[in-house]
Amino acid sequence: MRRHHHGLPWPRRDRDEQVACEFCDAVQPAPRLREGEGAYCGNCGELLYQNRPRSLSRATGFSIAALIFMLLAHSFPFLTMSAAGASTKLSLIRCARALSHDGDVLLSWLCIFFTIIAPLALVGSLLYMSAPLLYGRALPGALQIARWFQRSEPWAMLEVFLLGFIVSLLKLGHLAEIHFNIGLWSLVALVICIAGATAGIDRRELWDRLELAVDPAPKPEPVDRAG
């Protein structure tokens, strides 16, 4: 059975691979790295890529934890506000529904997309790719999902929502009595787990492992026709 031990440097098909620096566009050889090492640009000194320790285990573990906290964050209210004898419980879904009832339908859908759909797609796709790779395998459509994973990364904005929520609390604290619920702590844990999952593995390593798992055959050596 094929198996890539997650504690070893990631496998490479092309030993003569070249890499372009994202900051100065300098093209240079891409060296193999041991765990914990990083490759830096020989021209500007910026980080090119890293071999993060136990990358697949970290990406898989944080993704599973993120899905659990996501379920809790959407199942329980994160805030209870009491003022003038009235009490209101807020959650992400209730916030989106309130925006829709107030006539802000577009803003309601944007709230759902940025705080629910995009984070779920990000974490779910990473788990779909990283868990099978622990055993050197790739599930059907893994390469296409990897492309969507990279596209959905900029659209997951839970941390922006959480920051805006904290700023709002500073203003609402003078107007109403506020109680924090389990949904808020789950939301904080969810943001931390998403950051840990996406930072757990280098994108270059993820692609190398996926390509080898989908097609393990090595590339043929170039034929010298001049001889």
Side-chain angles (χ1 to χ4, degrees), residues 86-168:
S87 180
T88 303
K89 292 184 177 180
L90 298 177
S91 66
L92 287 174
I93 297 178
R94 287 184 181 180
C95 288
R97 190 181 302 167
L99 288 172
S100 179
H101 287 169
D102 291 340
D104 296 323
V105 179
L106 178 60
L107 190 59
S108 172
W109 279 107
L110 289 177
C111 179
I112 293 175
F113 178 78
F114 288 125
T115 61
I116 299 176
I117 297 177
L120 178 61
L122 182 69
V123 175
S125 58
L126 182 57
L127 179 63
Y128 187 85
M129 294 181 291
S130 60
L133 285 176
L134 284 170
Y135 305 95
R137 298 183 181 278
L139 295 181
L143 292 179
Q144 288 75 16
I145 289 178
R147 297 187 183 94
W148 282 105
F149 166 75
Q150 290 190 302
R151 291 171 182 169
S152 65
E153 270 192 287
W155 300 103
M157 299 185 180
L158 265 180
E159 64 277 8
V160 178
F161 175 84
L162 187 60
L163 181 61
F165 175 73
I166 293 174
V167 173
S168 301

Side-chain angles (χ1 to χ4, degrees), residues 17-33:
E17 183 181 355
Q18 299 281 313
V19 60
C21 177
E22 296 181 359
F23 296 91
C24 67
D25 295 331
V27 178
Q28 53 208 292
R32 295 173 65 91
L33 303 175

Side-chain angles (χ1 to χ4, degrees), residues 34-221:
R34 291 178 296 184
E35 276 197 343
E37 293 183 340
Y40 295 86
C41 178
N43 184 44
C44 66
E46 291 291 337
L47 178 67
L48 297 174
Y49 56 92
Q50 281 183 301
N51 186 359
R52 299 184 172 97
R54 297 194 172 276
S55 53
L56 288 176
S57 298
R58 292 173 61 185
T60 302
F62 276 115
S63 297
I64 294 174
L67 289 176
I68 295 174
F69 285 121
M70 188 178 295
L71 179 63
L72 294 175
H74 297 328
S75 300
F76 297 94
F78 53 82
L79 184 69
T80 301
M81 296 178 58
S82 302
S87 180
T88 303
K89 292 184 177 180
L90 298 177
S91 66
L92 287 174
I93 297 178
R94 287 184 181 180
C95 288
R97 190 181 302 167
L99 288 172
S100 179
H101 287 169
D102 291 340
D104 296 323
V105 179
L106 178 60
L107 190 59
S108 172
W109 279 107
L110 289 177
C111 179
I112 293 175
F113 178 78
F114 288 125
T115 61
I116 299 176
I117 297 177
L120 178 61
L122 182 69
V123 175
S125 58
L126 182 57
L127 179 63
Y128 187 85
M129 294 181 291
S130 60
L133 285 176
L134 284 170
Y135 305 95
R137 298 183 181 278
L139 295 181
L143 292 179
Q144 288 75 16
I145 289 178
R147 297 187 183 94
W148 282 105
F149 166 75
Q150 290 190 302
R151 291 171 182 169
S152 65
E153 270 192 287
W155 300 103
M157 299 185 180
L158 265 180
E159 64 277 8
V160 178
F161 175 84
L162 187 60
L163 181 61
F165 175 73
I166 293 174
V167 173
S168 301
L169 283 182
L170 296 177
K171 298 181 178 180
L172 294 176
H174 303 290
L175 304 176
E177 186 177 352
I178 297 174
H179 301 279
F180 301 138
N181 297 327
I182 187 173
L184 176 63
W185 309 120
S186 300
L187 191 63
V188 173
L190 173 60
V191 171
I192 296 174
C193 288
I194 289 179
T198 54
I201 185 168
D202 191 282
R203 302 298 175 266
R204 181 178 297 275
E205 176 186 359
L206 184 62
W207 274 106
D208 284 346
R209 289 187 180 276
L210 281 174
E211 289 178 349
L212 277 173
V214 171
D215 182 14
K219 287 183 177 179
E221 294 292 336

